[in-house]
Every structure is written in structure tokens, then in C-alpha cells.
């Protein structure tokens, strides 16, 4: 699978199930700092934009009042190579024309625009017929040629469109079932992943808020599963995270998805059958409500609609995710039992990033909220002793070798999207 965020998680293979826990001190060393104009929530990806064999950094930032922008940043020096204005935050990064350099797909008005990775020049464009609510890039045919998936959101055509990565030709168009309800309709949370292990990607998406669908390379629905109730008081099936595919022993593939009211739902990736559902964050929310004198119906509404589960990171047989009760959870994928939880100062919304800490193969993860960056032992959830690390929170974090020295580098995008800093972990 190739998406705008997938590159950041390529180090998952380093986290074998038998790895030793991180225990020794880790030293953070600042390499460079890049100041960006403006502000806004930011996300990022890394890819080789110029064909030199080293990844560059793509930062996408959006602010409701100031609008959005995409930046391409040199991973070795922190120099901004180019900047382009965009209208909405969905984006994708992939080598669409197979020339050895990646392109950047962004939203401009009611169209998708493909920008050359080297200089940001427009390469191609295609109309979206409505508001693009989600983007993903994947290899649907398993032939090495990426396709672009665009989901139109509310007030649009409520459709999922597949386009060829080379010419942006429409391959198929799947309309969502029209449904009125208290939550957003249409298609959202689009992810490309090899669900059946045949070497090609399928498409996973949330339809009408509470139905998870798996769509094949030709646009036909393979399976669809209603995750739960969609009422305002009991939204345990209303999707709040991107679907996450994980693997267990015996060839089992599962799909984990986070929902509101603290629900983690696990489905069989082959059939869509729900094989597990657990609730998280309810105790903390109960305590919070208990300190306030509220009418019973208001307290019930707050209790049952709180704690959306955030984007999930799969580390072998473990699923790690944040919840809006301020905790980070690690659960066993097989039975959804909690292995550990960690109290954060804020809320962790994005997937954790696996990193090497202290020694090759050591299991550690980076998590972050708007206040702090956390380096945690993936086995126990305890903070790894470290010195010199960033003193504030982040909007996005990437990991990899950005300067070509063979060491572990970490890119931290500041909480307001105004700064990008590069660090080495030793």
C-alpha cells in the first residue's frame, strides 16, 4: 500500500515479536530547524522527490481562516524546496508515473492536482465533482502502477472514484448508499491495503459513518459490515479512525477500526465479520462527569458519545491507539485485551511511529500530542529515558534516514505547523 502517510511507518518490520524492550538512555540531537510561514494543523510524509535515493519531507498544513499549503523540504538541510497553495488537507504521495521520483496529489477547488515532486509544477488535474473528503493512493491491480482513490464528502456526490495514477482517467465510480442521520453520510476514512494477500490492494472505507466496506480493484463491493448503532446517544459504530490491517499467526488478517464512545472494532479482513469489540476510556470519562452536577440525560449523552478512538498503529500482534480520555492504549489484537495504557498530557490523534532506540531491533514507539513528544517502550508502555528531546508537542512526526548517514532521524512538525525540526536518535 502506498499512501500519503504510509511511508512514515516503514520501520514496522524492525519490531519483531521477540525484540527486547527499550531500557537504556536515548540522546536526542538537533540537526536543523525550518520555519514555515502561517499556521494550522499539519500532517506529513516522506518520499524521494528528486531521485537521489534520499527521502524528502512533504508537509501539508491547513487552517480554516488562512487556508492550506503544501511544502517540500530537503531532508538533509531543512531548506524549503517549494511551496504551493491548496484548498483542503487531503493529499497523497507516490511515484505515479514510475520514473523513480514521487509526485504529490493535492486538492485545489473542485479538482485533484498532481504536482511534480522535484519543483511542485502541475503535472495533471481532474475534477472531483464535489468536495474531496479523503484521498488514498494504492496499487489496486498489483501491477506496480498506483491508482488514486478520491472520496467526495458531504454536500457532494457521495462517491468513491478510482483514477489511474498516470493520466487521472476514471477507472470506476462507486456511489454511497444515501442515508440521513445524525452523523456525516457519504464515504470517508479511505485506506488502500492488501486485504487478501494476493499482492494487490483493496480499498477500505467508512460508508455513512457506521458501515465499513471493502471494495475490490474493479470497484465491486467484496463485503460490507455495519459496525453498530448510529444514534447520538450510542454511536459505538460511528467510525472515528482510518481502518488498520494487521496480521496474526496462521495467515489471519484482520481490520481494526476505531469508533466513537471508545469502541475498538475488529473484523475478519476476508469476510468483514466482526470478531471483537471493546470499549476504552469509559472509566476516565465517568470520573470526569462524576465531578460535575449535570442533568442525567446530559450526563448520559456526554458519557456515551465521548472518547473517539484515534488512528491505530499495528505492531505485530499489538494495536496501539490514542483515545480522547487522554490515554494511549496497547491491546492484543487476538482478543482486544489491554496490555498497557499510558497517561498523556493531551490527546494522541495520529498513529504512533515505531523507531529504533538505543540498539537495532529494540521496540520503541514515538507518540505525540499538542503538548509533548513521548518515546515509549512498546512492550510495557513506560517512557524510555532520554535527554535533549523536543520540549513541546507536535502535529506530525516522521522517522527514517533523511541525511544518508545510516542513523535514525526523526522529523518533528510543530503543534501549530510553524516549525519543522530534524533530530538524530543515538
Amino acid at each position: 500500500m502506498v499512501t500519503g502517510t504510509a511511508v512514515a511507518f516503514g520501520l514496522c518490520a524492525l519490531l519483531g515479536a521477540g525484540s527486547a524492550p527499550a531500557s537504556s538512555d536515548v540522546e536526542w540531537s538537533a540537526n536543523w530547524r525550518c520555519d514555515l510561514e502561517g499556521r494550522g494543523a499539519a500532517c506529513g510524509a516522506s518520499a524521494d522527490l528528486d531521485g537521489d535515493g534520499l527521502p524528502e519531507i512533504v508537509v501539508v498544513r491547513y487552517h480554516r481562516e488562512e487556508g492550506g499549503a503544501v511544502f517540500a523540504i530537503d531532508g538533509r538541510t531543512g531548506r524549503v524546496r517549494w511551496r504551493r497553495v491548496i484548498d483542503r488537507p487531503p493529499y497523497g504521495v507516490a511515484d505515479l508515473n514510475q520514473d523513480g521520483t514521487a509526485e504529490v496529489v493535492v486538492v485545489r477547488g473542485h479538482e485533484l492536482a498532481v504536482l511534480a515532486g522535484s519543483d511542485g509544477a502541475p503535472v495533471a488535474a481532474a475534477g472531483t465533482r464535489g468536495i474531496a473528503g479523503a484521498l488514498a493512493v494504492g496499487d489496486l491491480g498489483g501491477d506496480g502502477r498506483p491508482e488514486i482513490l478520491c472520496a467526495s464528502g458531504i454536500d457532494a456526490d457521495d462517491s468513491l472514484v478510482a483514477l489511474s495514477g498516470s493520466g487521472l482517467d476514471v477507472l470506476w465510480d462507486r456511489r454511497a448508499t444515501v442515508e440521513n442521520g445524525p452523523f456525516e453520510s457519504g464515504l470517508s476514512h479511505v485506506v488502500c491495503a492488501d486485504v487478501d494477500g494476493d499482492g494487490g490492494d483493496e480499498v477500505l472505507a467508512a460508508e455513512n459513518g457506521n458501515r465499513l466496506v471493502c471494495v475490490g480493484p474493479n470497484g465491486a463491493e467484496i463485503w460490507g459490515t455495519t459496525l453498530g448503532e448510529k444514534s447520538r446517544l450510542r454511536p459505538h459504530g460511528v467510525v472515528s479512525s482510518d481502518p488498520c490491517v494487521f496480521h496474526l499467526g496462521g495467515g489471519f488478517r484482520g481490520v481494526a477500526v476505531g469508533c466513537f464512545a471508545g469502541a475498538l472494532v475488529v473484523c475478519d479482513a476476508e469476510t468483514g465479520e466482526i470478531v471483537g469489540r471493546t470499549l476504552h476510556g469509559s472509566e476516565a470519562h465517568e470520573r470526569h462527569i462524576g465531578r460535575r452536577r449535570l442533568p442525567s440525560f446530559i450526563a448520559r449523552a456526554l458519557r456515551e458519545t465521548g472518547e473517539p478512538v484515534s488512528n491505530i498503529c499495528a505492531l505485530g500482534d499489538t494495536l496501539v491507539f490514542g483515545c480522547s480520555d487522554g490515554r494511549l492504549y496497547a491491546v492484543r489484537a487476538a482478543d482486544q485485551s489491554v496490555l498497557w495504557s499510558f497517561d498523556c498530557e493531551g490527546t494522541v490523534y495520529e498513529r504512533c511511529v515505531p523507531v529504533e532506540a538505543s540498539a537495532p531491533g529494540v521496540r520503541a514507539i514515538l507518540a505525540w500530542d499538542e503538548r509533548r513528544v513521548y518515546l515509549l517502550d512498546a512492550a510495557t508502555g513506560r517512557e524510555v529515558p532520554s535527554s535533549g528531546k523536543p520540549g513541546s508537542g507536535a502535529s506530525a512526526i516522521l522517522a527514517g534516514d533523511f541525511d544518508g548517514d545510516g542513523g535514525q532521524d526523526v522529523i518533528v512538525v510543530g503543534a501549530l505547523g510553524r516549525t519543522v525540526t530534524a533530530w538524530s536518535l543515538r
Side-chain angles (χ1 to χ4, degrees):
M1 178 178 74
V2 186
T3 69
T5 57
V7 184
F9 309 110
L11 294 173
C12 282
L14 297 172
L15 305 180
S19 303
S23 57
S24 54
D25 290 355
V26 174
E27 181 180 353
W28 295 65
S29 176
N31 296 334
W32 51 256
R33 172 185 170 121
C34 174
D35 294 314
L36 304 179
E37 298 177 357
R39 57 175 176 159
C43 50
S46 60
D48 186 358
L49 301 180
D50 56 10
D52 66 352
L54 292 177
E56 281 72 43
I57 302 152
V58 177
V59 174
V60 175
R61 190 179 64 197
Y62 178 77
H63 190 273
R64 184 182 297 272
E65 297 175 356
E66 298 182 9
V70 54
F71 303 83
I73 301 172
D74 189 301
R76 290 168 292 187
T77 66
R79 177 177 63 88
V80 176
R81 293 192 171 184
W82 52 264
R83 173 186 183 274
R84 296 292 180 269
V85 174
I86 60 175
D87 294 323
R88 296 179 63 82
Y91 76 105
V93 181
D95 184 2
L96 299 177
N97 56 12
Q98 300 176 288
D99 64 351
T101 63
E103 286 75 41
V104 182
V105 185
V106 296
V107 178
R108 287 180 169 179
H110 291 284
E111 71 174 16
L112 298 182
V114 177
L115 308 179
S118 57
D119 58 8
V123 175
T128 62
R129 301 185 313 176
I131 301 172
L135 280 179
V137 182
D139 182 7
L140 301 187
D143 56 4
R145 292 179 294 185
E147 285 79 32
I148 301 170
L149 282 302
C150 174
S152 297
I154 221 167
D155 294 329
D157 289 337
D158 296 331
S159 62
L160 178 64
V161 181
L163 305 100
S164 65
S166 55
L168 298 186
D169 301 314
V170 175
L171 304 177
W172 48 261
D173 185 337
R174 181 185 185 277
R175 296 293 183 92
T177 304
V178 177
E179 180 178 315
N180 295 320
F183 293 90
E184 290 187 1
S185 297
L187 291 137
S188 61
H189 297 289
V190 179
V191 170
C192 295
D194 185 3
V195 169
D196 54 12
D198 66 352
D201 286 340
E202 286 73 39
V203 185
L204 296 166
E207 183 181 61
N208 291 320
N210 71 331
R211 186 170 183 263
L212 185 64
V213 296
C214 178
V215 179
N218 60 356
E221 182 175 307
I222 298 174
W223 52 257
T225 300
T226 299
L227 300 177
E229 297 182 55
K230 195 178 174 182
S231 68
R232 289 191 183 276
L233 291 181
R234 299 189 64 81
H236 295 89
V238 179
V239 176
S240 61
S241 81
D242 290 344
C244 174
V245 175
F246 63 90
H247 306 264
L248 295 179
F252 177 82
R253 284 178 166 83
V255 179
V257 63
C259 298
F260 282 83
L264 174 70
V265 182
V266 175
C267 302
D268 186 317
E270 183 177 352
T271 65
E273 177 187 0
I274 296 177
V275 296
R277 181 195 303 271
T278 51
L279 301 180
H280 304 273
S282 57
E283 293 180 0
H285 205 54
E286 288 276 8
R287 289 197 300 268
H288 175 70
I289 293 173
R291 292 194 295 266
R292 304 173 62 186
R293 295 182 178 180
L294 297 172
S296 60
F297 73 94
I298 296 179
R300 179 185 176 191
L302 290 174
R303 180 172 60 252
E304 295 183 340
T305 59
E307 292 92 32
V309 169
S310 301
N311 283 330
I312 302 164
C313 177
L315 304 177
D317 61 356
T318 302
L319 305 175
V320 182
F321 55 88
C323 193
S324 66
D325 66 344
R327 287 183 180 178
L328 190 71
Y329 291 89
V331 305
R332 185 178 288 107
D335 58 9
Q336 292 87 62
S337 59
V338 177
L339 300 175
W340 54 259
S341 65
F342 178 82
D343 288 319
C344 304
E345 293 187 11
T347 300
V348 175
Y349 292 104
E350 301 300 329
R351 293 182 182 88
C352 300
V353 175
V355 293
E356 289 184 4
S358 304
V362 168
R363 299 182 62 175
I365 55 175
L366 280 169
W368 62 95
D369 54 34
E370 67 276 15
R371 299 181 182 181
R372 283 188 57 196
V373 173
Y374 309 93
L375 180 61
L376 304 179
D377 184 323
T380 65
R382 291 192 292 265
E383 284 202 77
V384 177
S386 58
S387 60
K389 71 177 182 179
S392 58
S395 285
I397 290 182
L398 307 174
D401 180 10
F402 293 93
D403 54 15
D405 67 353
Q408 175 78 78
D409 301 319
V410 173
I411 304 297
V412 178
V413 182
L416 296 178
R418 289 174 171 167
T419 62
V420 181
T421 54
W423 305 76
S424 295
L425 293 187
R426 298 289 187 268

